[in-house]
Amino acid sequence: MACCVNYISPPRASLSPPPSRSSFSFSGDAVHSLLREPTLLLRRHSRSPSIVAPRFQVVAAEKAEPPLKIMISGAPASGKGTQCELITQKYGLVHISAGDLLRAEIASGSGNGKLAKEYMEKGQLVPDEIVVMMVKDRLSQTDSQQNGWLLDGYPRSSSQATALKGFGFQPDLFIVLEVPEDILIERVVGRRLDPVTGKIYHLKYSPPETEEIAARLTQRFDDTEEKAKSHAAKWSFDYCIIQIKGNRSKEEVFAQIDTALSQMLQQRNNTSPSSLSS
């Protein structure tokens, strides 16, 4: 059964346990209480309680049994890459990016990679059946099965989701990072890539450390205002979906995600056969 959850943040809301496995909500105080928990060790540089330090340490959680299966999606510059790093740090999941898989297959010269390259060289989209097989093969590998997985940027359509379900892959939770269009545009057009280190900078929010680095920065061809505006996804998958407000600091965004995953795990533990028999 699918469910869709919007992250709610009223000023003084209370957190109550979710009523069922397929429907749950999250309140604003849950985020603030989470920031006070030892799972996120924050180094504050100010005594003001409203300021969250930009640097913090994520403490690994106990391994979930059965392993977590998570999908995450968001527009370019929505902060998805940062959140994937934080999620994998805490929950030990195998991060699988459909884009990285495609590039790796092409670089390796595999059968799927050669087929994908032919389409890309013609300026055509790679057919679903090719990408789905790449994703399916990676999800089937031992590390993904043992540790759980975080599938990044895939599926993007109902047909892709249906194909993955046909192979037995369905997430425990589908995370969507929602960012207003004006903020996405500002993030996208100011983003720059260091071709030497591969590090991503932003001219306003994360400028390069030296003039030497600044001189060699490049802009990706698709980091344009038009590209940001064209990304309008509609999620109609048969998944349990949570929509996260992504126009906040990375700490606050991760706190929302961490709250959702923690509650989902608690809910799963409460309904496990062992807990019901005790």
Side-chain angles (χ1 to χ4, degrees):
M1 178 179 180
C3 64
C4 185
V5 182
N6 284 302
Y7 189 85
I8 308 168
S9 54
R12 293 186 180 276
S14 60
L15 177 66
S16 58
S20 69
R21 295 187 67 182
S22 61
S23 177
F24 45 88
S25 62
F26 311 96
S27 66
D29 282 353
V31 174
H32 298 298
S33 64
L34 181 62
L35 294 176
R36 294 193 292 269
E37 291 294 324
T39 52
L40 291 179
L41 304 181
L42 303 184
R43 296 180 180 178
R44 296 185 182 272
H45 299 287
S46 168
R47 293 184 180 181
S48 171
S50 63
I51 299 176
V52 179
R55 300 183 64 182
F56 68 108
Q57 179 183 358
V58 178
V59 178
E62 292 185 9
K63 183 179 178 181
E65 290 294 345
L68 281 173
K69 298 172 289 184
I70 306 298
M71 293 177 179
I72 186 169
S73 187
S78 62
K80 182 163 58 67
T82 297
Q83 295 308 315
C84 284
E85 290 180 6
L86 298 175
I87 294 169
T88 53
Q89 284 177 28
K90 175 157 188 179
Y91 292 94
L93 306 179
V94 177
H95 179 208
I96 301 171
S97 165
D100 290 345
L101 280 180
L102 187 59
R103 286 184 285 271
E105 290 284 340
I106 292 174
S108 69
S110 67
N112 281 332
K114 290 177 180 179
L115 288 174
K117 186 177 180 180
E118 290 179 7
Y119 284 97
M120 295 175 69
E121 287 178 342
K122 297 175 183 176
Q124 301 174 351
L125 293 175
V126 180
D128 281 353
E129 54 267 25
I130 296 177
V131 182
V132 167
M133 291 304 297
M134 292 181 184
V135 173
K136 186 265 295 185
D137 290 344
R138 185 64 186 91
L139 292 175
S140 301
Q141 291 183 17
T142 303
D143 60 343
S144 301
Q145 293 295 305
Q146 292 182 346
N147 300 315
W149 42 262
L150 173 64
L151 184 55
D152 175 0
Y154 198 86
R156 298 183 180 181
S157 67
S158 296
S159 61
Q160 294 170 353
T162 300
L164 283 179
K165 185 177 181 180
F167 289 117
F169 296 108
Q170 185 141 332
D172 299 312
L173 192 65
F174 188 94
I175 300 168
V176 179
L177 297 180
E178 299 282 1
V179 180
E181 185 180 89
D182 58 332
I183 296 178
L184 278 177
I185 292 172
E186 183 182 31
R187 289 181 180 180
V188 167
V189 299
R191 191 163 58 177
R192 296 293 185 272
L193 169 68
D194 183 347
V196 175
T197 64
K199 184 176 180 179
I200 300 294
Y201 292 92
H202 192 280
L203 299 180
K204 179 179 179 180
Y205 301 112
S206 180
E209 298 86 350
T210 66
E211 292 184 3
E212 179 185 356
I213 296 175
R216 68 179 185 234
L217 295 182
T218 61
Q219 185 175 25
R220 286 174 35 174
F221 75 93
D222 56 349
D223 276 350
T224 63
E225 181 175 340
E226 292 73 21
K227 187 69 174 180
K229 287 182 177 180
S230 67
H231 190 95
K234 295 182 179 180
W235 313 110
S236 58
F237 308 149
D238 186 25
Y239 293 159
C240 189
I241 299 174
I242 178 170
Q243 296 173 325
I244 297 292
K245 296 183 182 299
N247 58 330
R248 300 177 178 179
S249 71
K250 65 180 181 182
E251 295 91 347
E252 291 175 298
V253 173
F254 180 64
Q256 296 175 61
I257 294 173
D258 196 27
T259 298
L261 293 177
S262 297
Q263 289 197 357
M264 185 193 68
L265 287 172
Q266 182 62 47
Q267 196 174 29
R268 192 167 74 177
N269 291 337
N270 290 342
T271 55
S272 66
S274 59
S275 64
L276 294 176
S277 61
S278 59

